[in-house]
Amino acid sequence: MPSTLTLAPAPTSEAAERVRLEVREFLAKELAAGSFETHVDTWLSGVDPDFSKKLGEQGWLGMTWPKEYGGHERTAMERYAVTEELLAAGAPVAAHWIADRQSGPNLLRYGTEAQRREILPKIAAGECFFVIGMSEPDSGSDLASIRTKAERNADGDWVVNGAKVWTSNAHHSHYAITLVRTAPADSANRHAGMSQLLVDLSTPGITINPIRILDGGHHFNEVVFEDVVIPGDMLLGEEGAGWNQVTAELAFERSGPERFLSTFPLFAEFARRASSPAELATVGRLSARLLSLRQLSLRIAAALDRGELPDIPAALVKDVGTTFEGDVAEEIRKVVDVPASLDSPDPLARALAEAQLHSPGYTLRGGTNEILRGIVARGLGLR
């Protein structure tokens, strides 16, 4: 019987397989030229604007968007093949990742014509980067409790006050699509009165403070707004419809291959060297889970191609996929005789250290898994 989690199989795509081979050839040349080194979790921590620009020149950003906005009118399955190959290679894709994955599609869906024509071609060229302005210091994953507010001034512009956290790579980015309260909170309808603003991060009154992770790396930030004046025409979509817009946006954020491939470079290095019965059994267990996750993620990509909004399966991919990412590091740690070290000349030791140090974030970013399980349960009518 069909259910909320039932999705049609993804169709085979010769075009996707062709572009997959093109990406592999490109990556092999870039690796041989020394333009990047393979690392774990590079869609979040691997910032390289020059590499993003190269991808733009190849036509691999904004792939599904209309040509009139700098896109290439290719399918979601072709885009999936490109992103999957980049993640598997541990390529430095963090600079453009948010803009290409969800900010651009959000602009296409809700943006004004002027916003689309000004910003989308820059994203597709790999020259304009975005961050997500949703989570707040006292809200966690409960977006309905945000307190950052925007009020109209006499000129019709927005004056923003508040703070956002976990804004990945805000210090390298140009814009933040920021969720704000444009009407007082209503206890009878916690999702009412929210809107999204397109915020230029160079605007006076914005302070970006680093939040460092366990290895000292800096990609998370706190972004503080103090009487920041945002032009009135930078409202994204409809005033007061922010909750519905964010819900749709999260389907793009939660379903992609980055939700189960962050630790793939570690898994690939381990699988290449596995020889003992315990190591080979670990390869088998992890491979079975990986292949299952990939099939569900591919079906969501195909559903997006059909214009559907598979938000419930997307929440499931994020929950199960990020749990898998942490399990990759833990299962490999148990069977290898290699001490994890960021300074080791052994690529397995370095990848294991990176995966372990980034592990606390896998199930938190993009909405905690506890919140996502609630979404799935609600979608299935269980709560």
Side-chain angles (χ1 to χ4, degrees):
M1 177 182 295
S3 75
T4 306
L5 292 178
T6 301
L7 291 173
T12 57
S13 169
E14 292 183 5
E17 294 313 304
R18 281 197 299 273
V19 76
R20 184 186 299 281
L21 295 177
E22 292 171 9
V23 176
R24 286 181 180 176
E25 183 179 357
F26 167 83
L27 290 170
K29 289 180 180 176
E30 291 295 318
L31 277 168
S35 73
F36 76 92
E37 295 180 353
T38 297
H39 288 284
V40 165
D41 209 18
T42 50
W43 70 272
L44 196 67
S45 57
V47 174
D48 184 341
D50 290 337
F51 190 82
S52 294
K53 194 168 183 178
K54 288 181 183 177
L55 297 181
E57 290 167 354
Q58 294 288 333
W60 292 337
L61 302 182
M63 287 182 70
T64 62
W65 308 348
K67 291 182 179 178
E68 65 182 304
Y69 303 123
H72 305 282
E73 299 184 0
R74 301 179 79 166
T75 67
M77 300 304 295
E78 289 174 276
R79 181 182 181 276
Y80 192 99
V82 171
T83 57
E84 193 173 44
E85 291 301 320
L86 293 170
L87 291 166
V93 295
H96 67 268
W97 196 263
I98 302 300
D100 180 59
R101 178 185 69 183
Q102 69 190 80
S103 304
N106 218 19
L107 281 164
L108 274 173
R109 180 173 295 202
Y110 301 113
T112 65
E113 189 63 14
Q115 290 168 351
R116 293 171 183 162
R117 293 197 178 280
E118 169 65 21
I119 297 174
L120 290 176
K122 295 177 184 176
I123 295 177
E127 297 173 347
C128 182
F129 310 135
F130 272 66
V131 296
I132 303 166
M134 294 186 191
S135 297
E136 297 193 0
D138 299 322
S139 297
S141 293
D142 180 16
L143 293 179
S145 67
I146 66 163
R147 293 190 293 184
T148 297
K149 65 180 181 181
E151 298 173 305
R152 291 275 193 185
N153 64 14
D155 296 324
D157 296 328
W158 298 97
V159 180
V160 181
N161 283 282
K164 297 291 179 180
V165 290
W166 314 123
T167 48
S168 304
N169 299 313
H171 54 308
H172 294 299
S173 298
H174 304 91
Y175 289 96
I177 294 182
T178 308
L179 184 67
V180 296
R181 283 215 161 274
T182 47
D186 179 357
S187 58
N189 183 0
R190 299 178 70 233
H191 300 158
M194 290 187 273
S195 305
Q196 288 185 299
L197 297 178
L198 267 172
V199 175
D200 182 337
L201 290 170
S202 67
T203 307
I206 294 177
T207 304
I208 298 174
N209 301 312
I211 300 174
R212 296 194 180 276
I213 62 171
L214 289 176
D215 66 358
H218 172 203
H219 49 82
F220 287 134
N221 296 279
E222 175 194 46
V223 179
V224 180
F225 303 86
E226 293 181 281
D227 294 326
V228 177
V229 178
I230 304 300
D233 61 1
M234 295 304 269
L235 175 72
L236 180 63
E238 182 182 347
E239 183 176 344
W243 180 263
N244 290 336
Q245 293 176 198
V246 162
T247 302
E249 179 182 344
L250 289 175
F252 292 101
E253 178 181 350
R254 291 172 172 163
S255 62
E258 70 271 29
R259 294 306 182 186
F260 54 89
L261 290 180
S262 299
T263 52
F264 185 82
L266 166 63
F267 180 50
E269 182 63 28
F270 168 69
R272 272 193 287 270
R273 296 160 50 158
S275 58
S276 73
E279 290 172 340
L280 292 171
T282 301
V283 171
R285 281 195 304 276
L286 293 175
S287 295
R289 293 172 63 184
L290 176 61
L291 291 171
S292 299
L293 277 162
R294 183 172 185 267
Q295 285 304 309
L296 180 56
S297 179
L298 278 168
R299 290 185 180 208
I300 292 173
L304 291 171
D305 248 354
R306 296 192 298 269
E308 301 172 11
L309 185 60
D311 52 338
I312 306 302
L316 185 64
V317 167
K318 200 275 181 184
D319 176 11
V320 182
T322 56
T323 300
F324 169 77
E325 289 177 329
D327 289 348
V328 168
E330 183 61 12
E331 289 215 26
I332 292 174
R333 181 194 67 78
K334 289 178 179 175
V335 296
V336 298
D337 187 21
V338 175
S341 171
L342 293 175
D343 301 321
S344 173
D346 183 346
L348 181 60
R350 288 199 307 274
L352 184 57
E354 290 174 349
Q356 289 177 323
L357 291 169
H358 285 226
S359 186
Y362 300 148
T363 60
L364 295 177
R365 57 201 190 198
T368 65
N369 283 17
E370 288 75 14
I371 291 290
L372 296 170
R373 289 165 192 169
I375 292 172
V376 173
R378 201 161 38 244
L380 293 174
L382 301 176
R383 55 174 292 196

